Amino acid sequence: MQTMDVTVSAGNASRVIDVSVMLPVSKSLVARQIIVSALCGKRLFVPDGWMCDDIAAMQRVVSSGGGLVDVGASGTALRFGLAYLSLQEGEFLLDGTERLRQRPVKELVEALRCLGADISSIGCEGFAPLRVRGRAMSGRQVCVDVSRSSQFVSALLLIAPMLKGGLEIVLQGDVRSRPYIDMTLSVMRDCGVKAEESADGRIIKVPCSHYDVGGLRPAEADWSAAAYWYAIAALAGNAAVRLPHLQCGSVQGDAVVSEIYERFGVVTEFRDGGIIVSHRRGHPLPASFDFDFRDNPDLAQCVAVTCICLKVPFVLRGLDSLVFKESDRINATASVLAGMGYGMHTDGRSFMSWDGKACAGGGNLSVKTFGDHRMAMSFAPLCMMGRDVLIEDAGVVSKSYPGFWTDLARAGFSVEPC
């Protein structure tokens, strides 16, 4: 990831958007496929065009023969890697950025230890860096608090077929990002392992089995990345954005972005293995916007900025997991918007709201990204209000969408290093 600041301006893009964009692959899907393939003793082929920081970190996990495994800022690689390496021969040290060392993993560590894993914390208990001595493990029932991350469950599910006796997971606490658990179960089914779930979804049983990676489906484009183009379409006077390889009925929970942006006059047409996103001229804006993002927290910042630009008051709820992401996204978003003159309200833990009455001051808009790719991409569309936006440390987009700034330029935006 290169450190750079960029200034983004809309120019003609604020009036007309007509572009085809090749979105990055869903890193969430690929991460799961990489682990399943590695558990079969195979290496998932990852084309250069799929590469981003998070996928590269997953590849480092499964290719490590021991020693330091640096996963950078990837919480997914930390959690999936912790479960995967617990079964591999050798001794490993999982570590990453300073922010990664603050991201929660204690619940997963405790569950893995119950299964026989040899994991020790080098610093604070339950946080990276973590020393892992791989060895055989046996299944049993484990209870996991998923209030802070659904990845604790996904990490356990992925290795469950490899455990003698299989595994039964009891989900405790307020389940967040449930679609990501369902995505994991879907990948497992594709590869021949079918889990049983209780009626309320709180108990998941996985038999001792083996994967058949011949069932892996081609990875989809990333619906989370599509959200920024939905925002751009909503703010443009006229828009037609073609996004290949996005599927109707996707296992990606963030596909709900198409339903969310219908409220802002954005139409989604599924055609030829992808979608066309367009803006319905004259569509009335909602008087206010209220949504629970407990299953789709990565969309919240993008929607908040869209509402600000369209002067639509909002209440965004179910944001508890955002404080544990690449940045504390609730307080980071509030801080940046406050600096622009928009007084957003938040308890700093679970919701963000704006009354629609605040107004921004003059001059350029400056966005501190806090090392978070979604801060950079969510705030870029602010330039469609007719003012330049300075994005600090804009290279953070390499974590999930390395070509974001190039794609913006192709769509008619001006993106200038500064």
Side-chain angles (χ1 to χ4, degrees):
M1 180 182 73
Q2 293 182 338
T3 299
M4 63 173 181
D5 299 345
V6 299
T7 298
V8 186
S9 56
N12 290 334
S14 62
R15 295 187 293 276
V16 179
I17 299 284
D18 187 354
V19 67
S20 294
V21 177
M22 190 63 67
L23 293 173
V25 73
S26 168
K27 64 184 182 68
S28 298
L29 273 171
V30 172
R32 287 156 173 80
Q33 293 180 347
I34 287 174
I35 292 294
V36 168
S37 297
L39 288 169
C40 293
K42 299 182 179 180
R43 183 79 176 265
L44 182 73
F45 173 67
V46 178
D48 290 343
W50 290 11
M51 197 55 62
C52 65
D53 293 351
D54 271 13
I55 292 177
M58 287 301 309
Q59 287 188 309
R60 290 195 295 274
V61 166
V62 299
S63 62
S64 174
L68 175 63
V69 183
D70 186 349
V71 297
S74 177
T76 305
L78 172 66
R79 293 158 185 156
F80 289 10
L82 185 61
Y84 170 79
L85 293 175
S86 292
L87 285 173
Q88 307 307 307
E89 291 186 9
E91 183 173 315
F92 310 87
L93 180 64
L94 267 171
D95 201 6
T97 63
E98 188 59 37
R99 174 61 182 175
L100 185 90
R101 291 181 174 188
Q102 300 170 22
R103 299 188 68 180
V105 75
K106 181 180 179 181
E107 294 89 336
L108 177 58
V109 169
E110 291 175 348
L112 288 167
R113 285 173 176 165
C114 285
L115 301 174
D118 184 352
I119 302 170
S120 55
S121 298
I122 304 303
C124 295
E125 178 62 31
F127 293 90
L130 295 159
R131 190 175 304 283
V132 184
R133 296 177 177 88
R135 61 188 185 184
M137 294 157 58
S138 297
R140 50 165 290 183
Q141 183 188 81
V142 292
C143 299
V144 184
D145 187 336
V146 292
S147 302
R148 297 199 291 178
S149 177
S150 67
Q151 289 182 350
F152 304 150
V153 175
S154 287
L156 291 167
L157 285 172
L158 289 169
I159 66 166
M162 308 293 111
L163 304 179
K164 183 179 179 180
L167 182 63
E168 178 176 311
I169 306 174
V170 179
L171 279 60
Q172 297 182 324
D174 194 359
V175 181
R176 304 283 168 174
S177 301
R178 175 71 202 207
Y180 287 94
I181 297 175
D182 295 337
M183 177 191 291
T184 304
L185 293 170
S186 175
V187 171
M188 293 170 67
R189 282 194 301 271
D190 289 345
C191 296
V193 176
K194 186 175 181 180
E196 295 181 7
E197 297 181 70
S198 63
D200 62 0
R202 286 279 179 172
I203 301 175
I204 307 175
K205 297 180 181 180
V206 182
C208 178
S209 183
H210 64 275
Y211 288 119
D212 177 5
V213 291
L216 282 176
R217 286 184 276 183
E220 307 170 14
D222 186 21
W223 274 102
S224 304
Y228 310 112
W229 293 99
Y230 273 89
I232 287 168
L235 301 176
N238 196 340
V241 182
R242 292 165 292 280
L243 303 172
H245 309 304
L246 290 175
Q247 301 175 10
C248 183
S250 171
V251 296
Q252 298 179 60
D254 283 359
V256 74
V257 69
S258 65
E259 299 174 22
I260 290 173
Y261 275 86
E262 283 181 7
R263 306 188 196 183
F264 303 111
V266 178
V267 178
T268 303
E269 179 184 0
F270 288 88
R271 183 193 296 179
D272 301 327
I275 65 173
I276 300 175
V277 177
S278 57
H279 185 200
R280 186 186 301 141
R281 297 178 66 88
H283 184 277
L285 292 174
S288 62
F289 180 85
D290 189 317
F291 195 83
D292 188 335
F293 285 91
R294 70 176 56 237
D295 286 337
N296 323 94
D298 287 342
L299 300 178
Q301 292 162 289
C302 184
V303 173
V305 172
T306 300
C307 289
I308 290 286
C309 292
L310 295 175
K311 299 181 175 59
V312 175
F314 62 79
V315 178
L316 310 184
R317 294 171 286 109
L319 307 182
D320 305 65
S321 65
L322 287 187
V323 299
F324 305 115
K325 297 285 188 175
E326 286 83 346
S327 69
D328 174 349
R329 288 179 180 164
I330 294 178
N331 291 300
T333 300
S335 172
V336 170
L337 287 175
M340 296 175 178
Y342 297 99
M344 195 181 74
H345 303 285
T346 177
D347 64 353
R349 298 187 307 275
S350 62
F351 82 91
M352 299 188 290
S353 67
W354 179 59
D355 59 14
K357 297 179 181 178
C359 59
N364 290 346
L365 306 178
S366 181
V367 178
K368 182 178 180 180
T369 58
F370 298 90
D372 190 337
H373 56 139
R374 301 208 187 278
M375 285 293 292
M377 293 184 285
S378 295
F379 277 89
L382 272 172
C383 69
M384 300 183 76
M385 297 172 68
R387 296 161 61 195
D388 292 351
V389 177
L390 171 66
I391 307 289
E392 300 178 10
D393 195 15
V396 293
V397 299
S398 65
K399 190 173 194 297
S400 64
Y401 191 168
F404 180 70
W405 304 118
T406 300
D407 287 346
L408 275 192
R410 289 181 53 251
F413 292 82
S414 172
V415 182
E416 296 293 336
C418 56

